[in-house]
Amino acid sequence: MDKPLFVLDSSLPYLEGLVEQVADVRRLPNRDFTPETIRGARALLIRSVVHAGRELLEGSGVEIVATATAGFDHIDADYCAAAGIRWESAPGCNAGGVVQYVLSSLVRWSLERGVSLEGKTIGIVGVGNVGGRLAKRVGALGLRPLLCDPPRAEREGAEGFVSLETIQHDSDIITLHVPLTRSGQYATEGMVDEAFLQGCARRPLLINACRGPVSPSAALLKGLELRQISDLIIDCWEGEPVINKTLLKRSFIATPHIAGWTADGKWRGSQMALEAVCRALDLPLPEGLWDEGVLYTPDAPRIDLSAFPEEERILRAQLHTCDLKATTRTLKSAPEDFEQVRRAYRFPREASAYTVVGAYPEEKPLLEQLGFTHIE
């Protein structure tokens, strides 16, 4: 029996030797996905740069499109439904990476600004895969989370959630983890506008690691000028890859939309996409699927807590996994090279790839809360 043809975005990692077990494979750069180049394919495995809609898919014979990303804005769900084409995303694949980004950025901010995180209130706006996981970890850094997710509160009940007004009034730090929606009762486009910032009572640090248009650049700059917010950590920018240079200069951490990019997250996304395609086409799962052995070992895989000051031991362990200062310097020095800086970013490993040594008994639960699994 002939194998089906899969067309893969050539940037998808960790699939070499797996997909070939179940399919004939055509790998293409994302810019080369056209009706002609996908002809004969039963499945497409893509990332967010490939737009899967009528222009690409009409008349193709594609039965399933699987994206190795949590987001799926690039898939025309309405067209796929009308054409009988199944599609799958990889929800949560990058959640660990975004959480690592936020926690490590907070540590860097705390150490450089001389602001203790202990006892501070962090308002988490959007409590899905990322926000929910973040809420479970921030306590290890001494932070108290407030959770705001109006759609979830409406579906599930208000218990455990607070209003956006409470976030504005009570938060020392506000971090955004909402999808980009442009219409409806809970539209998020432009959510963090001038009126929102005027209502921020504690001059919070603001973090955007979700979508740029949620926090328009002009509003953020005005918020800084009027001292409504104290600092900015920005990974997602309005208008990217052409970003506001003044806002870039004023941001404490500024990165080119890489918050969810870890080796672990890329691996999870690729594995989820391939598994979804195999199940949809009733194919056997490849031998070696979900084998973590393909992931690289960090350059410095051991974290010796005895090397750090007593009051910084947990903070430094977190920062060891991901420090965004170098990437920030690079982007600030060449904002016009946003895409190049993004492509050159080396995916870090997540906390489970490291071994922590010298931990006190009382530190072990905090380290486990941050995702460390090898503690000596």
Side-chain angles (χ1 to χ4, degrees):
M1 182 176 174
D2 291 339
K3 291 181 179 179
L5 175 64
F6 292 0
V7 178
L8 276 63
D9 184 326
S10 57
S11 68
L12 283 180
Y14 307 117
L15 292 181
E16 195 76 36
L18 294 177
V19 65
E20 290 84 359
Q21 295 179 39
V22 295
D24 292 326
V25 182
R26 182 181 300 156
R27 287 182 168 80
L28 299 173
N30 50 61
R31 64 180 179 275
D32 290 345
F33 275 70
T34 67
E36 292 73 30
T37 59
I38 69 166
R39 185 173 290 122
R42 290 183 64 190
L44 305 183
L45 284 79
I46 63 173
R47 293 193 59 77
S48 57
V49 181
V50 176
H51 179 73
R54 180 185 299 274
E55 185 177 346
L56 177 65
L57 297 171
E58 190 169 34
S60 66
V62 169
E63 299 174 39
I64 179 170
V65 177
T67 180
T69 58
F72 47 85
D73 297 351
H74 53 296
I75 296 177
D76 187 335
D78 291 337
Y79 172 76
C80 287
I85 299 172
R86 180 171 171 174
W87 63 270
E88 297 281 352
S89 63
C93 68
N94 67 339
V98 180
V99 170
Q100 175 175 268
Y101 177 98
V102 172
L103 295 175
S104 296
S105 294
L106 284 171
V107 169
R108 173 53 70 186
W109 179 76
S110 172
L111 294 172
E112 286 204 18
R113 294 297 199 225
V115 179
S116 174
L117 298 177
E118 188 68 38
K120 293 286 191 299
T121 297
I122 181 168
I124 301 173
V125 183
V127 193
N129 279 313
V130 174
R133 187 175 301 189
L134 180 64
K136 294 176 181 178
R137 294 195 173 182
V138 293
L141 301 183
L143 293 163
R144 180 178 76 95
L146 292 177
L147 309 183
C148 177
D149 195 316
R152 281 193 60 187
E154 184 178 271
R155 293 192 306 268
E156 304 167 23
E159 185 176 356
F161 298 106
V162 303
S163 67
L164 204 54
E165 290 73 22
T166 299
I167 294 289
Q168 291 170 276
H169 188 267
D170 293 351
S171 299
D172 303 294
I173 300 160
I174 298 175
T175 184
L176 307 172
H177 301 288
V178 298
L180 177 61
T181 54
R182 294 185 166 86
S183 61
Q185 182 181 358
Y186 302 119
T188 61
E189 184 175 31
M191 180 179 70
V192 180
D193 56 10
E194 291 184 19
F196 178 95
L197 296 177
Q198 286 169 7
C200 291
R202 298 192 180 185
R203 297 190 61 239
L205 161 67
L206 183 71
I207 304 171
N208 186 348
C210 60
R211 289 291 185 269
V214 172
S215 58
S217 301
L220 295 181
L221 283 170
K222 189 168 184 179
L224 286 171
E225 291 164 7
L226 296 178
R227 297 175 61 79
Q228 295 163 341
I229 48 179
S230 63
D231 241 332
L232 289 171
I233 292 172
I234 304 182
D235 182 59
C236 302
W237 305 79
E238 187 180 37
E240 61 183 57
V242 180
I243 63 176
N244 187 301
K245 294 181 181 179
T246 304
L247 188 63
L248 172 65
K249 184 177 180 181
R250 296 288 301 275
S251 297
F252 175 73
I253 293 289
T255 51
H257 205 148
I258 47 78
W261 284 16
T262 61
D264 309 64
K266 295 288 187 181
W267 173 76
R268 283 191 294 267
S270 292
Q271 306 299 295
M272 290 171 76
L274 179 55
E275 182 171 356
V277 167
C278 289
R279 293 195 186 282
L281 299 181
D282 198 25
L283 297 169
L285 297 181
E287 184 179 344
L289 191 71
W290 295 109
D291 178 4
E292 293 188 33
V294 298
L295 295 170
Y296 78 90
T297 300
D299 294 335
R302 291 174 66 82
I303 305 172
D304 185 355
L305 296 185
S306 68
F308 308 129
E310 289 288 319
E311 67 278 7
E312 296 180 3
R313 286 161 60 95
I314 299 298
L315 300 181
R316 292 289 180 178
Q318 176 62 49
L319 190 62
H320 186 93
T321 68
C322 176
D323 191 347
L324 285 309
K325 284 301 290 183
T327 303
T328 295
R329 285 194 298 269
T330 301
L331 185 61
K332 286 188 174 185
S333 68
E336 66 280 0
D337 293 335
F338 184 97
E339 291 286 12
Q340 182 176 335
V341 176
R342 193 170 193 247
R343 286 193 297 269
Y345 181 71
R346 189 190 186 201
F347 309 148
R349 290 296 312 274
E350 295 176 16
S352 60
Y354 293 86
T355 298
V356 181
V357 299
Y360 302 145
E362 63 271 22
E363 291 174 327
K364 185 175 180 179
L366 300 178
L367 292 163
E368 290 175 341
Q369 192 175 353
L370 290 172
F372 293 98
T373 55
H374 307 290
I375 305 169
E376 299 175 359

